[in-house]
Amino acid sequence: MSDLKKTLTFYGMILVTVSAAALLSAFIFPGNPKVAGPSLGRAGSFAVLGGSTVTNTGATAITGDLGVSSPGVSVTGFPPGTQARGVQHVGDPAANQAQADAQSAYAALAGMTCTTALTGQDLGGKALAPGVYCFTSSAELTGQLVLDGRGNSKGVWVFQIASTLTSATNSSVVMRKGGRAGNVYWQVGSGATLGTGTAFIGNVLAYSSITMNTAANLSGRALARQAVTMDSNNMRVP
């Protein structure tokens, strides 16, 4: 074989090897590194859980358990709010265990290694694969956020937010290509506020409070160490 043919054959083999490796990598790792969500324990059955008060105004509809842990003793606004397929727990062992489990999950989420920093960026207009996304300050959602499961129903999204989480009016989070609402976690360092008409997805674990403005809907869980405030919302455990 001539030197030219040997050279062409050598580089051809390199090209095939690199192409095959790239294709295999894309097939095995379609998104960010695999992330496992924490156990919510007893909190898993709660659509709404506070640590001081849970307050509702208007025709809120909850599917799942509803409660407040000790020392909180106040759940108000039911009726007119309604509850389906769940039990109301006020300062009882179930609510206290759920709060302890929620706090353990919060700590586990906060301790995960960030894979993508989003500080200073609005979540609106983004399409995100499973992974751990972090904000060193507040996080905002204006418009639509797409969570793209890329065909993996076990994909997990974790959002680590150092201070507040806020959504603008009529904003939304949507799942595509196999993503599941129960695999989305929002670890919020202070308070979360979902704006009027927001359609939100995931487990919101807030260090302080969660406020659901008028007609904001949540497919997930609102788990706060302090207060949860609602106003004509639909909230459903995934």
Side-chain angles (χ1 to χ4, degrees):
M1 184 182 294
S2 68
D3 290 342
L4 178 58
K5 287 184 178 180
K6 289 180 179 179
T7 300
L8 292 174
T9 299
F10 174 73
Y11 282 109
M13 291 175 64
I14 290 177
L15 180 60
V16 170
T17 301
V18 170
S19 298
L23 180 61
L24 181 62
S25 175
F27 178 75
I28 297 176
F29 306 108
N32 289 321
K34 291 182 178 180
V35 177
S39 170
L40 292 175
R42 187 65 180 86
S45 69
F46 280 77
V48 176
L49 177 66
S52 58
T53 61
V54 171
T55 305
N56 171 63
T57 300
T60 290
I62 291 178
T63 302
D65 287 346
L66 161 70
V68 60
S69 62
S70 297
V73 294
S74 177
V75 174
T76 60
F78 292 88
T82 60
Q83 184 180 3
R85 297 205 306 273
V87 177
Q88 187 173 127
H89 299 275
V90 180
D92 64 9
N96 294 338
Q97 184 61 57
Q99 187 66 250
D101 291 344
Q103 292 184 25
S104 294
Y106 178 97
L109 292 167
M112 291 183 179
T113 300
C114 176
T115 58
T116 304
L118 293 177
T119 302
Q121 301 182 47
D122 196 304
L123 286 163
K126 296 186 181 300
L128 302 178
V132 181
Y133 300 89
C134 55
F135 294 80
T136 58
S137 56
S138 62
E140 296 182 358
L141 169 61
T142 305
Q144 185 180 86
L145 166 65
V146 175
L147 302 181
D148 187 347
R150 301 190 177 185
N152 179 14
S153 63
K154 297 182 179 179
V156 172
W157 292 260
V158 174
F159 295 88
Q160 300 170 328
I161 303 167
S163 58
T164 58
L165 167 64
T166 306
S167 73
T169 298
N170 295 328
S171 294
S172 62
V173 180
V174 298
M175 310 296 301
R176 289 186 182 165
K177 298 181 181 178
R180 295 185 176 180
N183 291 341
V184 181
Y185 299 86
W186 304 84
Q187 177 255 318
V188 184
S190 58
T193 301
L194 302 187
T196 300
T198 291
F200 207 73
I201 285 176
N203 306 292
V204 183
L205 293 86
Y207 191 86
S208 59
S209 63
I210 298 173
T211 300
M212 305 283 296
N213 284 336
T214 306
N217 299 324
L218 174 64
S219 177
R221 300 172 177 89
L223 310 174
R225 290 197 183 195
Q226 296 178 18
V228 179
T229 303
M230 297 167 285
D231 182 0
S232 304
N233 314 118
N234 286 317
M235 306 173 71
R236 177 185 297 269
V237 171

